Amino acid sequence: MKTRVMISLMFGLTVSAAQAAKMDGAPAAPCEGLKVATGPAGKGYSKLYADLVRVSKNTMPLCEVNTEGGLDNLTTLSIKKADVGIVPMDALKKMAEGDANIASLMVVAALNSNYLHIVTSANGLILEGPKKYGVLKGDTRTVRITRMSELRGAPVALVGSAQLMVRQLDKVLGYNMRYIDVDSDAIAFQKVLSGEAYAAFSVAGWPHGQITRLAPNSGLTLAGFDVPISSPYSVRPYTYKNLGVYNVQALAVQNVLVTRPFNGAKIGYVAALRQMLERELLELKDGDFEPGWNEIKSFESKVEWPRFAGLPLKKK
């Protein structure tokens, strides 16, 4: 009990000092608490972070570090530009193979899942067959991509974390897809509509903000994931009423909140963040917060990765 009181007092003083340093037009004060790597402002991980700030009622010394997303969060943590961050398990395992700093990260809490969204043309692709007699225009046919297994050898647009995920999947599946890396969902969707890509792959929690904003007449739909897969992945259904897509099977991967290993005061900060998550989970599920919280049954859900224990590391 005494330890919790000390942590609360320490947090309260830190937050008060940070707030006192803020002035209109002045540069942002240095972060005196935990720097949290999220993603693009206003999107998935950043919205989860905003929910944490709301339920903490500004008693937690947290500062957001906006990045490009889960994959970028791992690099940001590795170079000590953030203290904790939200990352998908597949990227964590893969990136840890070549980076000792990433390999030393510890799971603070299991969160919601990310889903691989396979966006395809609702009207199909018009493909031209071989030329007749070597010179005449070949017959055309319309092909509608409705599932993952139909993308063998196809050009596909990849956004953000999908650039790593799909490449890793392709190595296992042997589909030999042709990758087009792009910077945004909007560009990826346009490449599908133009026929340059047979599908666009985008990774996000459900519901995917960019997809929920698509109009029914956008010309886009979602293909199902029909390939057997193993850990750290699972297959779960999702629905997007605006596109007329119901209970389509999608590839899912667990998100986790991870921390760098600490020996000093930040251990207490991370422990207090973990306690706050436990204390506020029901409010996060019941209140006006992101739907991703409703997926979480327990922050202790099993993940194949070392856990944060809330204790200093033993010096060798």
Side-chain angles (χ1 to χ4, degrees):
M1 184 67 181
K2 184 177 179 181
T3 301
R4 290 186 182 179
V5 171
M6 289 295 291
I7 290 173
S8 298
L9 287 172
M10 179 170 60
F11 275 14
L13 290 171
T14 303
V15 173
S16 297
Q19 290 174 341
K22 286 186 177 181
M23 297 174 61
D24 289 342
C31 184
E32 300 294 339
L34 291 175
K35 298 188 290 291
V36 185
T38 59
K43 292 190 175 180
Y45 291 164
S46 184
K47 287 183 176 181
L48 294 179
Y49 169 83
D51 287 346
L52 291 182
V53 173
R54 282 177 59 198
V55 296
S56 75
K57 298 178 176 60
N58 293 316
T59 60
M60 299 284 294
L62 303 175
C63 309
E64 184 173 16
V65 179
N66 292 117
T67 67
E68 294 179 6
L71 188 58
D72 192 26
N73 285 349
L74 289 166
T75 302
T76 303
L77 286 160
S78 177
I79 61 175
K80 298 172 66 175
K81 296 297 183 182
D83 303 314
V84 298
I86 306 173
V87 302
M89 279 300 305
D90 60 336
L92 174 59
K93 289 185 174 183
K94 183 61 183 176
M95 295 293 286
E97 294 174 5
D99 189 321
N101 291 327
I102 293 175
S104 70
L105 296 174
M106 296 171 289
V107 171
V108 178
L111 301 176
N112 64 323
S113 293
N114 268 356
Y115 295 85
L116 180 64
H117 294 73
I118 309 173
V119 181
T120 62
S121 172
N123 302 318
L125 300 158
I126 299 176
L127 304 180
E128 184 177 326
K131 289 186 176 181
K132 296 178 181 179
Y133 309 109
V135 293
L136 299 178
K137 184 179 179 180
D139 296 330
T140 60
R141 61 191 177 97
T142 301
V143 176
R144 288 181 173 83
I145 304 297
T146 61
R147 52 186 183 271
M148 177 76 178
S149 58
E150 295 171 336
L151 290 169
R152 291 177 174 85
V156 294
L158 310 179
V159 185
S161 296
Q163 294 173 1
L164 174 63
M165 178 190 282
V166 173
R167 281 176 167 85
Q168 294 306 307
L169 286 173
D170 203 9
K171 284 182 181 179
V172 175
L173 300 173
Y175 279 10
N176 298 314
M177 293 181 286
R178 290 172 279 153
Y179 315 123
I180 305 170
D181 292 336
V182 298
D183 295 330
S184 70
D185 292 308
I187 296 174
F189 298 167
Q190 186 55 48
K191 289 191 178 297
V192 172
L193 290 171
S194 69
E196 187 177 346
Y198 285 22
F201 288 90
S202 181
V203 178
W206 181 89
H208 188 308
Q210 298 299 313
I211 293 176
T212 57
R213 286 190 281 274
L214 291 174
N217 62 352
S218 64
L220 296 172
T221 188
L222 290 160
F225 190 87
D226 63 334
V227 181
I229 205 68
S230 58
S231 178
Y233 302 108
S234 60
V235 177
R236 302 179 189 173
Y238 59 34
T239 290
Y240 285 89
K241 185 179 178 180
N242 58 308
L243 295 180
V245 171
Y246 298 92
N247 295 321
V248 169
Q249 296 297 308
L251 183 72
V253 61
Q254 180 82 61
N255 283 316
V256 288
L257 180 68
V258 295
T259 181
R260 294 194 287 117
F262 297 113
N263 279 300
K266 285 190 177 180
I267 294 175
Y269 287 16
V270 178
L273 176 59
R274 180 68 173 78
Q275 291 168 9
M276 190 270 287
L277 282 169
E278 286 284 2
R279 185 174 66 248
E280 302 295 341
L281 179 57
L282 289 179
E283 175 62 19
L284 288 165
K285 291 166 78 77
D286 292 345
D288 184 19
F289 299 100
E290 285 299 295
W293 297 109
N294 291 63
E295 290 186 26
I296 302 171
K297 293 187 174 75
S298 168
F299 292 118
E300 293 295 333
S301 294
K302 183 179 179 181
V303 291
E304 297 173 352
W305 200 261
R307 288 272 184 173
F308 168 75
L311 299 172
L313 297 177
K314 292 181 180 180
K315 295 183 179 180
K316 295 181 180 179

